[in-house]
Coordinates of all heavy atoms in Angstrom, one line a residue:
M114 N 8.3 -74.6 79.3 CA 7.3 -73.6 79.3 C 7.7 -72.3 78.6 O 7.0 -71.8 77.8 CB 6.9 -73.3 80.8 CG 5.8 -72.4 80.9 SD 4.2 -73.1 80.3 CE 3.1 -71.9 80.8
K115 N 9.0 -71.9 78.8 CA 9.5 -70.7 78.2 C 9.5 -70.9 76.7 O 9.3 -70.0 75.9 CB 10.9 -70.3 78.7 CG 10.8 -69.7 80.1 CD 12.2 -69.3 80.5 CE 12.2 -68.8 81.9 NZ 13.6 -68.4 82.3
T116 N 9.9 -72.1 76.2 CA 10.0 -72.4 74.8 C 8.6 -72.3 74.2 O 8.5 -71.7 73.0 CB 10.6 -73.8 74.6 OG1 11.9 -73.8 75.2 CG2 10.8 -74.0 73.1
M117 N 7.6 -72.8 74.9 CA 6.3 -72.7 74.4 C 5.8 -71.3 74.2 O 5.2 -70.9 73.2 CB 5.3 -73.5 75.3 CG 3.9 -73.5 74.9 SD 3.8 -74.5 73.4 CE 2.1 -74.9 73.5
L118 N 6.1 -70.4 75.2 CA 5.7 -69.0 75.1 C 6.4 -68.3 74.0 O 5.8 -67.5 73.3 CB 6.0 -68.3 76.5 CG 5.1 -68.7 77.6 CD1 5.6 -68.0 78.9 CD2 3.7 -68.3 77.4
K119 N 7.7 -68.6 73.8 CA 8.4 -68.0 72.7 C 7.9 -68.4 71.4 O 7.7 -67.6 70.5 CB 9.9 -68.3 72.8 CG 10.7 -67.7 73.9 CD 12.1 -68.1 73.9 CE 12.9 -67.5 75.1 NZ 14.3 -67.9 75.1
A120 N 7.6 -69.7 71.2 CA 7.0 -70.2 70.0 C 5.6 -69.5 69.7 O 5.3 -69.1 68.6 CB 6.9 -71.7 70.0
T121 N 4.8 -69.4 70.7 CA 3.5 -68.7 70.6 C 3.7 -67.3 70.2 O 3.0 -66.8 69.3 CB 2.7 -68.9 71.9 OG1 2.6 -70.3 72.2 CG2 1.3 -68.3 71.7
A122 N 4.6 -66.6 70.8 CA 4.8 -65.2 70.5 C 5.3 -65.0 69.1 O 4.9 -64.1 68.4 CB 5.8 -64.6 71.5
L123 N 6.2 -65.9 68.7 CA 6.7 -65.8 67.3 C 5.6 -66.1 66.3 O 5.5 -65.4 65.3 CB 7.9 -66.8 67.2 CG 8.5 -66.9 65.8 CD1 9.1 -65.5 65.4 CD2 9.6 -67.9 65.7
A124 N 4.8 -67.1 66.6 CA 3.7 -67.4 65.7 C 2.7 -66.2 65.6 O 2.3 -65.9 64.5 CB 3.0 -68.6 66.1
A125 N 2.4 -65.6 66.7 CA 1.5 -64.4 66.7 C 2.1 -63.3 65.9 O 1.5 -62.6 65.1 CB 1.2 -64.0 68.1
F126 N 3.4 -63.0 66.1 CA 4.1 -62.0 65.3 C 4.1 -62.2 63.8 O 3.8 -61.4 63.0 CB 5.6 -61.8 65.8 CG 6.4 -60.9 65.0 CD1 6.2 -59.5 65.1 CD2 7.3 -61.4 64.0 CE1 6.9 -58.6 64.3 CE2 8.0 -60.5 63.3 CZ 7.8 -59.1 63.4
L127 N 4.4 -63.5 63.4 CA 4.4 -63.8 62.0 C 3.0 -63.7 61.4 O 2.9 -63.3 60.3 CB 5.0 -65.2 61.8 CG 6.5 -65.3 62.1 CD1 6.9 -66.8 62.0 CD2 7.3 -64.5 61.2
A128 N 2.0 -64.1 62.1 CA 0.7 -64.0 61.6 C 0.3 -62.6 61.4 O -0.3 -62.2 60.4 CB -0.3 -64.7 62.6
T129 N 0.6 -61.7 62.3 CA 0.3 -60.3 62.2 C 1.1 -59.6 61.1 O 0.5 -58.9 60.3 CB 0.7 -59.5 63.5 OG1 0.0 -60.2 64.6 CG2 0.3 -58.1 63.5
A130 N 2.4 -60.0 60.9 CA 3.2 -59.4 59.8 C 2.6 -59.9 58.5 O 2.6 -59.1 57.5 CB 4.6 -59.9 60.0
T131 N 2.2 -61.1 58.4 CA 1.7 -61.6 57.1 C 0.4 -60.9 56.8 O 0.1 -60.5 55.6 CB 1.5 -63.2 57.2 OG1 2.7 -63.8 57.5 CG2 0.9 -63.7 55.9
F132 N -0.5 -60.7 57.8 CA -1.8 -60.1 57.5 C -1.5 -58.6 57.1 O -2.2 -58.1 56.2 CB -2.6 -60.1 58.8 CG -3.9 -59.4 58.7 CD1 -4.9 -59.9 57.9 CD2 -4.1 -58.2 59.3 CE1 -6.2 -59.3 57.8 CE2 -5.3 -57.5 59.2 CZ -6.4 -58.1 58.4
G133 N -0.6 -58.0 57.8 CA -0.3 -56.6 57.4 C 0.3 -56.5 56.0 O -0.1 -55.5 55.2
A134 N 1.1 -57.4 55.6 CA 1.6 -57.4 54.2 C 0.5 -57.6 53.2 O 0.5 -57.1 52.1 CB 2.7 -58.5 54.1
A135 N -0.4 -58.5 53.5 CA -1.5 -58.8 52.6 C -2.4 -57.5 52.4 O -2.9 -57.2 51.3 CB -2.4 -60.0 53.2
Q136 N -2.6 -56.8 53.5 CA -3.4 -55.6 53.4 C -2.7 -54.5 52.6 O -3.2 -53.8 51.8 CB -3.7 -55.0 54.8 CG -4.8 -55.7 55.5 CD -5.2 -55.0 56.8 OE1 -4.3 -54.5 57.5 NE2 -6.5 -54.9 57.0
A137 N -1.3 -54.4 52.8 CA -0.6 -53.5 52.0 C -0.6 -53.8 50.5 O -0.6 -52.9 49.7 CB 0.9 -53.4 52.5
A138 N -0.6 -55.0 50.2 CA -0.6 -55.4 48.8 C -1.9 -55.0 48.1 O -2.0 -54.9 46.9 CB -0.4 -56.9 48.6
D139 N -3.0 -54.9 48.8 CA -4.3 -54.5 48.3 C -4.4 -53.0 48.0 O -5.3 -52.5 47.3 CB -5.4 -54.8 49.2 CG -5.6 -56.3 49.3 OD1 -5.1 -57.1 48.4 OD2 -6.2 -56.8 50.3
T140 N -3.4 -52.2 48.5 CA -3.4 -50.8 48.3 C -3.0 -50.4 46.9 O -2.0 -50.9 46.4 CB -2.5 -50.1 49.3 OG1 -2.9 -50.4 50.6 CG2 -2.5 -48.6 49.2
V141 N -3.8 -49.6 46.2 CA -3.4 -49.2 44.9 C -3.1 -47.7 44.8 O -3.9 -46.9 45.3 CB -4.6 -49.5 43.9 CG1 -4.3 -49.0 42.5 CG2 -5.0 -51.0 43.9
V142 N -2.0 -47.4 44.3 CA -1.6 -46.0 44.2 C -1.7 -45.6 42.8 O -1.2 -46.3 41.9 CB -0.1 -45.8 44.7 CG1 0.3 -44.4 44.5 CG2 0.1 -46.2 46.1
T143 N -2.4 -44.5 42.5 CA -2.6 -44.1 41.1 C -1.9 -42.7 41.0 O -1.7 -42.0 42.0 CB -4.1 -43.9 40.8 OG1 -4.7 -43.0 41.7 CG2 -4.8 -45.3 40.8
F144 N -1.6 -42.4 39.8 CA -0.9 -41.1 39.5 C -1.9 -40.1 39.1 O -2.8 -40.3 38.3 CB 0.0 -41.3 38.3 CG 0.7 -40.1 37.8 CD1 1.6 -39.4 38.6 CD2 0.3 -39.6 36.6 CE1 2.2 -38.2 38.1 CE2 0.9 -38.4 36.1 CZ 1.8 -37.7 36.9
D145 N -1.8 -38.9 39.8 CA -2.7 -37.8 39.5 C -2.0 -36.7 38.8 O -1.2 -36.0 39.4 CB -3.3 -37.3 40.8 CG -4.2 -36.0 40.7 OD1 -4.6 -35.7 39.5 OD2 -4.5 -35.4 41.7
P146 N -2.2 -36.5 37.5 CA -1.4 -35.5 36.7 C -1.8 -34.1 37.1 O -1.0 -33.2 36.9 CB -1.8 -35.8 35.3 CG -3.1 -36.6 35.3 CD -3.1 -37.3 36.6
G147 N -2.9 -33.9 37.9 CA -3.3 -32.6 38.3 C -2.3 -32.0 39.4 O -2.4 -30.8 39.6
I148 N -1.5 -32.8 40.0 CA -0.6 -32.3 41.0 C 0.8 -31.8 40.4 O 1.6 -31.3 41.1 CB -0.3 -33.3 42.1 CG1 0.5 -34.5 41.6 CG2 -1.6 -33.7 42.8 CD1 1.1 -35.4 42.7
V149 N 1.0 -32.1 39.1 CA 2.2 -31.7 38.5 C 2.2 -30.3 38.1 O 1.3 -29.8 37.3 CB 2.5 -32.6 37.3 CG1 3.8 -32.3 36.6 CG2 2.5 -34.1 37.7
A150 N 3.2 -29.5 38.5 CA 3.3 -28.1 38.1 C 4.2 -28.0 36.9 O 3.8 -27.4 35.9 CB 3.9 -27.3 39.2
Y151 N 5.3 -28.7 36.9 CA 6.3 -28.7 35.8 C 6.9 -30.1 35.7 O 7.3 -30.7 36.6 CB 7.4 -27.7 36.0 CG 6.9 -26.3 36.3 CD1 7.1 -25.9 37.6 CD2 6.3 -25.5 35.4 CE1 6.7 -24.6 38.0 CE2 5.9 -24.3 35.8 CZ 6.1 -23.8 37.1 OH 5.6 -22.6 37.4
G152 N 6.9 -30.7 34.5 CA 7.4 -32.0 34.3 C 8.7 -31.9 33.5 O 8.9 -31.1 32.6
Y153 N 9.6 -32.8 33.8 CA 10.9 -32.9 33.2 C 11.2 -34.3 32.9 O 10.6 -35.2 33.4 CB 12.0 -32.3 34.1 CG 11.9 -30.8 34.2 CD1 11.1 -30.3 35.2 CD2 12.5 -29.9 33.3 CE1 10.9 -28.9 35.4 CE2 12.3 -28.5 33.5 CZ 11.6 -28.1 34.5 OH 11.4 -26.7 34.6
S154 N 12.3 -34.6 32.1 CA 12.6 -36.0 31.8 C 13.0 -36.8 33.0 O 12.8 -38.0 33.0 CB 13.7 -36.0 30.7 OG 14.9 -35.5 31.3
D155 N 13.5 -36.2 34.0 CA 13.9 -36.9 35.2 C 13.0 -36.8 36.4 O 13.2 -37.3 37.5 CB 15.3 -36.4 35.7 CG 15.3 -34.9 36.0 OD1 14.5 -34.2 35.5 OD2 16.2 -34.5 36.8
G156 N 11.8 -36.1 36.3 CA 10.9 -36.0 37.4 C 10.0 -34.8 37.2 O 9.9 -34.3 36.1
Y157 N 9.4 -34.4 38.3 CA 8.4 -33.3 38.2 C 8.3 -32.5 39.6 O 8.6 -33.0 40.6 CB 7.0 -33.7 37.8 CG 6.4 -34.7 38.7 CD1 5.5 -34.3 39.8 CD2 6.6 -36.1 38.6 CE1 4.9 -35.3 40.6 CE2 6.1 -37.0 39.5 CZ 5.2 -36.6 40.4 OH 4.6 -37.5 41.3
W158 N 8.0 -31.3 39.4 CA 7.6 -30.4 40.6 C 6.1 -30.5 40.8 O 5.3 -30.4 39.9 CB 8.0 -29.0 40.4 CG 9.4 -28.7 40.5 CD1 10.3 -28.4 39.4 CD2 10.2 -28.6 41.7 NE1 11.6 -28.2 39.9 CE2 11.5 -28.3 41.3 CE3 9.9 -28.7 43.0 CZ2 12.6 -28.1 42.2 CZ3 10.9 -28.6 43.9 CH2 12.2 -28.2 43.5
T159 N 5.7 -30.7 42.1 CA 4.3 -30.7 42.3 C 3.8 -29.3 42.5 O 4.6 -28.4 42.6 CB 4.0 -31.5 43.6 OG1 4.5 -30.8 44.8 CG2 4.5 -32.9 43.6
T160 N 2.5 -29.1 42.6 CA 2.0 -27.8 42.8 C 2.3 -27.3 44.2 O 2.1 -26.1 44.5 CB 0.4 -27.8 42.6 OG1 -0.1 -28.8 43.4 CG2 0.1 -28.0 41.1
K161 N 2.8 -28.2 45.1 CA 3.2 -27.8 46.5 C 4.7 -27.6 46.5 O 5.2 -27.5 47.6 CB 2.7 -28.8 47.5 CG 1.2 -28.9 47.6 CD 0.8 -30.0 48.6 CE -0.7 -30.1 48.7 NZ -1.1 -31.1 49.7
K162 N 5.3 -27.5 45.4 CA 6.8 -27.3 45.2 C 7.6 -28.4 45.9 O 8.6 -28.1 46.6 CB 7.2 -25.9 45.8 CG 8.4 -25.4 45.2 CD 8.7 -24.0 45.6 CE 10.1 -23.5 44.9 NZ 10.4 -22.2 45.3
E163 N 7.2 -29.6 45.6 CA 7.9 -30.8 46.1 C 8.5 -31.5 44.8 O 7.7 -31.7 43.9 CB 7.0 -31.8 46.8 CG 6.3 -31.2 48.0 CD 5.2 -32.1 48.5 OE1 4.6 -32.8 47.8 OE2 5.0 -32.0 49.8
W164 N 9.7 -31.8 44.8 CA 10.3 -32.5 43.7 C 10.1 -34.0 43.9 O 10.3 -34.6 44.9 CB 11.8 -32.3 43.6 CG 12.4 -33.1 42.5 CD1 13.2 -34.2 42.7 CD2 12.3 -32.9 41.1 NE1 13.6 -34.7 41.5 CE2 13.0 -33.9 40.5 CE3 11.6 -31.9 40.4 CZ2 13.1 -34.0 39.1 CZ3 11.7 -32.0 39.0 CH2 12.4 -33.0 38.4
R165 N 9.7 -34.7 42.8 CA 9.5 -36.1 42.8 C 10.0 -36.7 41.4 O 9.9 -36.0 40.4 CB 8.0 -36.5 42.9 CG 7.4 -36.0 44.2 CD 6.0 -36.5 44.3 NE 5.4 -36.0 45.5 CZ 4.1 -36.0 45.8 NH1 3.3 -36.5 44.9 NH2 3.6 -35.5 47.0
T166 N 10.5 -37.9 41.5 CA 10.8 -38.6 40.2 C 9.6 -39.3 39.7 O 8.7 -39.7 40.5 CB 12.0 -39.6 40.5 OG1 11.6 -40.5 41.5 CG2 13.3 -38.8 40.9
W167 N 9.6 -39.6 38.4 CA 8.5 -40.4 37.8 C 8.6 -41.8 38.4 O 9.6 -42.4 38.2 CB 8.6 -40.4 36.3 CG 8.5 -39.0 35.7 CD1 9.6 -38.3 35.1 CD2 7.4 -38.2 35.6 NE1 9.2 -37.1 34.7 CE2 7.8 -37.0 34.9 CE3 6.0 -38.3 35.9 CZ2 7.0 -35.9 34.6 CZ3 5.2 -37.2 35.6 CH2 5.6 -36.1 34.9
E168 N 7.5 -42.3 39.0 CA 7.5 -43.6 39.5 C 7.4 -44.7 38.4 O 8.0 -45.7 38.6 CB 6.3 -43.8 40.5 CG 6.4 -43.0 41.7 CD 5.2 -43.2 42.6 OE1 4.6 -44.2 42.6 OE2 5.0 -42.2 43.4
K169 N 6.8 -44.4 37.3 CA 6.6 -45.3 36.2 C 6.8 -44.5 34.9 O 6.3 -43.3 34.8 CB 5.3 -46.0 36.2 CG 5.1 -46.9 37.4 CD 3.7 -47.6 37.3 CE 3.5 -48.5 38.5 NZ 2.2 -49.1 38.4
P170 N 7.4 -45.0 33.9 CA 7.6 -44.3 32.6 C 6.3 -43.9 32.0 O 6.2 -42.8 31.4 CB 8.3 -45.3 31.7 CG 8.9 -46.3 32.6 CD 8.1 -46.3 33.9
E171 N 5.2 -44.7 32.2 CA 3.9 -44.3 31.6 C 3.3 -43.1 32.2 O 2.5 -42.4 31.6 CB 2.9 -45.5 31.6 CG 2.7 -46.1 33.0 CD 3.5 -47.3 33.3 OE1 4.6 -47.4 32.7 OE2 3.1 -48.1 34.1
Y172 N 3.7 -42.7 33.4 CA 3.2 -41.5 34.0 C 3.6 -40.2 33.3 O 2.9 -39.2 33.2 CB 3.7 -41.4 35.5 CG 3.0 -42.4 36.4 CD1 3.5 -42.6 37.7 CD2 2.0 -43.2 36.0 CE1 3.0 -43.5 38.6 CE2 1.5 -44.2 36.9 CZ 1.9 -44.3 38.2 OH 1.4 -45.2 39.0
V173 N 4.8 -40.3 32.7 CA 5.3 -39.2 31.9 C 4.3 -38.9 30.7 O 3.9 -37.8 30.4 CB 6.7 -39.4 31.3 CG1 7.1 -38.3 30.4 CG2 7.7 -39.7 32.4
E174 N 3.9 -40.0 30.0 CA 3.0 -39.9 28.9 C 1.6 -39.5 29.3 O 1.0 -38.7 28.7 CB 3.0 -41.2 28.1 CG 4.3 -41.6 27.5 CD 4.8 -40.4 26.6 OE1 4.1 -39.8 25.8 OE2 6.0 -40.2 26.7
V175 N 1.2 -40.0 30.5 CA -0.1 -39.5 31.0 C -0.1 -38.0 31.2 O -1.1 -37.3 30.8 CB -0.5 -40.3 32.3 CG1 -1.7 -39.7 33.0 CG2 -0.7 -41.8 32.0
Y176 N 0.9 -37.5 31.8 CA 1.0 -36.1 32.1 C 1.1 -35.3 30.8 O 0.5 -34.3 30.7 CB 2.2 -35.8 33.0 CG 2.4 -34.3 33.2 CD1 1.4 -33.5 33.9 CD2 3.4 -33.6 32.6 CE1 1.5 -32.2 34.0 CE2 3.6 -32.2 32.8 CZ 2.6 -31.5 33.5 OH 2.7 -30.2 33.6
R177 N 2.0 -35.7 29.9 CA 2.2 -35.0 28.7 C 0.9 -34.8 27.8 O 0.8 -33.9 27.1 CB 3.3 -35.6 27.8 CG 4.6 -35.5 28.4 CD 5.7 -36.1 27.6 NE 5.9 -35.3 26.4 CZ 6.8 -35.6 25.5 NH1 7.6 -36.6 25.7 NH2 6.9 -34.8 24.4
K178 N 0.0 -35.8 28.0 CA -1.3 -35.7 27.2 C -2.3 -34.7 27.8 O -3.4 -34.5 27.2 CB -1.9 -37.1 27.1 CG -1.1 -38.0 26.2 CD -1.7 -39.4 26.2 CE -0.8 -40.3 25.3 NZ -1.3 -41.7 25.3
Q179 N -2.0 -34.2 29.0 CA -2.9 -33.2 29.7 C -2.9 -31.9 29.0 O -1.8 -31.4 28.6 CB -2.5 -33.1 31.1 CG -2.6 -34.3 32.0 CD -4.0 -34.9 32.0 OE1 -5.0 -34.2 32.3 NE2 -4.1 -36.2 31.6
P180 N -4.0 -31.2 28.8 CA -4.0 -29.9 28.1 C -3.2 -28.8 28.8 O -2.6 -28.0 28.2 CB -5.5 -29.5 28.1 CG -6.3 -30.6 28.6 CD -5.3 -31.6 29.2
Q181 N -3.1 -28.9 30.1 CA -2.4 -27.9 30.9 C -0.9 -28.3 31.1 O -0.2 -27.6 31.9 CB -3.1 -27.6 32.2 CG -2.8 -28.7 33.3 CD -3.7 -30.0 33.2 OE1 -4.4 -30.1 32.2 NE2 -3.6 -30.8 34.1
A182 N -0.4 -29.4 30.5 CA 0.9 -29.9 30.8 C 2.0 -28.9 30.4 O 2.0 -28.2 29.4 CB 1.2 -31.2 30.0
R183 N 3.0 -28.7 31.4 CA 4.2 -27.9 31.1 C 5.3 -28.9 31.3 O 5.9 -29.1 32.3 CB 4.3 -26.9 32.2 CG 3.2 -25.8 32.1 CD 3.5 -24.8 33.2 NE 2.5 -23.7 33.2 CZ 1.4 -23.7 33.9 NH1 1.1 -24.7 34.7 NH2 0.5 -22.7 33.8
Y184 N 5.6 -29.6 30.1 CA 6.7 -30.6 30.1 C 7.9 -30.1 29.3 O 7.7 -29.5 28.2 CB 6.1 -31.9 29.5 CG 7.2 -33.0 29.5 CD1 7.4 -33.7 30.7 CD2 7.9 -33.3 28.4 CE1 8.4 -34.7 30.7 CE2 8.9 -34.3 28.4 CZ 9.1 -35.0 29.6 OH 10.1 -35.9 29.6
Y185 N 9.1 -30.4 29.9 CA 10.3 -30.0 29.2 C 11.2 -31.2 29.1 O 11.5 -31.9 30.0 CB 11.0 -28.9 30.1 CG 10.1 -27.7 30.4 CD1 9.3 -27.7 31.5 CD2 9.9 -26.7 29.4 CE1 8.4 -26.7 31.7 CE2 9.0 -25.7 29.7 CZ 8.3 -25.7 30.8 OH 7.4 -24.6 31.0
E186 N 11.6 -31.5 27.8 CA 12.3 -32.7 27.5 C 13.8 -32.5 27.8 O 14.7 -32.6 27.0 CB 12.1 -33.0 26.0 CG 12.7 -34.4 25.6 CD 12.0 -35.5 26.3 OE1 10.7 -35.6 26.2 OE2 12.7 -36.3 26.9
Y187 N 14.1 -32.3 29.1 CA 15.5 -32.2 29.6 C 15.4 -32.4 31.1 O 14.4 -32.2 31.7 CB 16.2 -31.0 29.2 CG 15.6 -29.6 29.5 CD1 15.8 -29.1 30.8 CD2 14.8 -29.0 28.6 CE1 15.2 -27.8 31.1 CE2 14.2 -27.8 28.9 CZ 14.4 -27.2 30.1 OH 13.8 -26.0 30.4
R188 N 16.6 -32.6 31.7 CA 16.6 -32.7 33.2 C 16.4 -31.4 33.9 O 16.8 -30.4 33.4 CB 18.0 -33.3 33.6 CG 18.2 -34.7 33.1 CD 19.6 -35.2 33.5 NE 19.8 -35.1 34.9 CZ 19.5 -36.0 35.9 NH1 18.9 -37.1 35.5 NH2 19.7 -35.8 37.1
H189 N 15.7 -31.4 35.0 CA 15.4 -30.2 35.7 C 16.6 -29.5 36.3 O 16.6 -28.3 36.4 CB 14.4 -30.5 36.9 CG 15.1 -31.0 38.1 ND1 15.7 -32.3 38.2 CD2 15.3 -30.5 39.3 CE1 16.1 -32.5 39.4 NE2 15.9 -31.4 40.1
D190 N 17.7 -30.2 36.5 CA 18.9 -29.6 37.1 C 19.8 -28.8 36.2 O 20.8 -28.2 36.6 CB 19.7 -30.6 37.9 CG 20.2 -31.8 37.1 OD1 19.9 -31.8 35.9 OD2 20.8 -32.7 37.7
R191 N 19.3 -28.7 34.9 CA 20.1 -27.9 34.0 C 19.8 -26.4 34.2 O 20.6 -25.5 33.9 CB 19.9 -28.3 32.5 CG 18.9 -27.5 31.8 CD 18.8 -27.8 30.3 NE 18.0 -26.7 29.7 CZ 17.7 -26.7 28.5 NH1 18.1 -27.6 27.7 NH2 17.0 -25.7 28.0
D192 N 18.7 -26.1 34.8 CA 18.3 -24.7 35.0 C 18.8 -24.2 36.4 O 18.9 -25.0 37.3 CB 16.7 -24.6 35.0 CG 16.1 -24.8 33.7 OD1 16.8 -24.6 32.7 OD2 14.9 -25.2 33.6
P193 N 19.2 -23.0 36.5 CA 19.7 -22.5 37.8 C 18.7 -22.6 38.9 O 19.1 -22.7 40.1 CB 20.1 -21.0 37.5 CG 19.5 -20.7 36.2 CD 19.1 -21.9 35.5
D194 N 17.4 -22.5 38.6 CA 16.4 -22.6 39.7 C 15.8 -24.0 39.8 O 14.8 -24.2 40.4 CB 15.2 -21.6 39.4 CG 14.5 -21.9 38.0 OD1 15.0 -22.9 37.3 OD2 13.6 -21.2 37.7
L195 N 16.6 -25.0 39.3 CA 16.2 -26.4 39.3 C 14.8 -26.7 38.7 O 14.2 -27.6 39.0 CB 16.3 -27.0 40.7 CG 17.6 -27.0 41.4 CD1 17.6 -27.5 42.8 CD2 18.6 -27.8 40.5
G196 N 14.5 -25.8 37.7 CA 13.2 -26.1 37.0 C 12.0 -25.5 37.6 O 10.9 -25.6 37.0
W197 N 12.1 -24.9 38.7 CA 10.9 -24.3 39.3 C 10.7 -22.9 38.6 O 11.5 -22.0 38.8 CB 10.9 -24.1 40.8 CG 9.7 -23.5 41.3 CD1 9.5 -22.2 41.6 CD2 8.4 -24.1 41.4 NE1 8.2 -22.0 42.0 CE2 7.5 -23.1 41.9 CE3 7.9 -25.4 41.2 CZ2 6.1 -23.4 42.1 CZ3 6.6 -25.7 41.5 CH2 5.7 -24.7 41.9
R198 N 9.7 -22.7 37.9 CA 9.5 -21.5 37.0 C 8.7 -20.5 37.7 O 8.6 -19.3 37.2 CB 8.9 -21.9 35.7 CG 9.9 -22.9 35.0 CD 9.3 -23.4 33.7 NE 10.2 -24.2 33.0 CZ 11.2 -23.8 32.2 NH1 11.2 -22.5 31.9 NH2 12.0 -24.6 31.6
G199 N 8.0 -20.8 38.7 CA 7.2 -19.8 39.5 C 5.9 -19.3 38.8 O 5.3 -18.4 39.3
E200 N 5.5 -20.0 37.8 CA 4.3 -19.6 37.1 C 3.1 -20.2 37.7 O 2.0 -19.7 37.5 CB 4.4 -20.1 35.6 CG 5.5 -19.5 34.8 CD 5.9 -20.3 33.6 OE1 5.2 -21.3 33.3 OE2 6.8 -20.0 32.9
V201 N 3.2 -21.3 38.5 CA 2.1 -22.0 39.1 C 1.9 -21.5 40.5 O 2.8 -21.3 41.3 CB 2.4 -23.5 39.1 CG1 1.3 -24.2 39.8 CG2 2.5 -24.0 37.7
V202 N 0.6 -21.2 40.8 CA 0.2 -20.7 42.1 C 0.2 -22.0 43.0 O -0.4 -23.0 42.8 CB -1.2 -20.1 42.1 CG1 -1.6 -19.7 43.5 CG2 -1.2 -18.9 41.2
I203 N 1.0 -21.9 44.2 CA 1.0 -23.0 45.1 C -0.3 -22.9 46.0 O -0.6 -21.9 46.5 CB 2.3 -22.8 46.0 CG1 3.5 -22.9 45.1 CG2 2.3 -23.9 47.1 CD1 4.8 -22.6 45.9
K204 N -0.9 -24.1 46.0 CA -2.2 -24.2 46.8 C -1.9 -24.5 48.2 O -1.0 -25.1 48.6 CB -3.0 -25.3 46.2 CG -3.4 -25.0 44.7 CD -4.1 -26.1 44.2 CE -4.4 -25.9 42.7 NZ -5.1 -27.0 42.0

């Protein structure tokens, strides 16, 4: 009887985990260049002053094509302020 309960519990757990993974695979994350305050070769500062690395190389090009882009072709850590220039108003 205990073996049957354990097997049933395990099966229920695996079914739930598989369903959750399938739902997560349907989630699409897109890049919003409007959140970038300053871009660098190694990542970017968001308008909320959060540092992030580029998730995909094509995101760099998407951002650089924006009319308001502030992109610098070097690593952010070469500057004493780590690349935060203070020109962007934090929302």
Side-chain angles (χ1 to χ4, degrees):
M114 184 68 173
K115 286 184 182 180
T116 304
M117 179 70 157
L118 287 175
K119 287 180 184 178
T121 303
L123 179 61
F126 172 76
L127 291 175
T129 304
T131 303
F132 179 71
Q136 281 187 322
D139 292 341
T140 303
V141 177
V142 178
T143 58
F144 173 68
D145 177 12
I148 66 163
V149 179
Y151 310 107
Y153 292 88
S154 61
D155 61 337
Y157 60 95
W158 284 105
T159 69
T160 54
K161 295 181 180 180
K162 203 173 179 181
E163 300 168 332
W164 176 255
R165 297 184 184 169
T166 56
W167 300 107
E168 292 178 27
K169 296 182 179 179
E171 55 265 24
Y172 292 170
V173 177
E174 295 308 314
V175 168
Y176 175 68
R177 289 180 71 176
K178 291 178 182 175
Q179 299 301 309
Q181 77 280 7
R183 292 181 180 95
Y184 182 81
Y185 305 94
E186 190 62 55
Y187 55 85
R188 294 177 55 85
H189 81 290
D190 57 4
R191 98 170 192 183
D192 293 333
D194 60 359
L195 297 178
W197 181 260
R198 298 175 177 272
E200 301 161 358
V201 175
V202 176
I203 299 174
K204 299 176 185 177

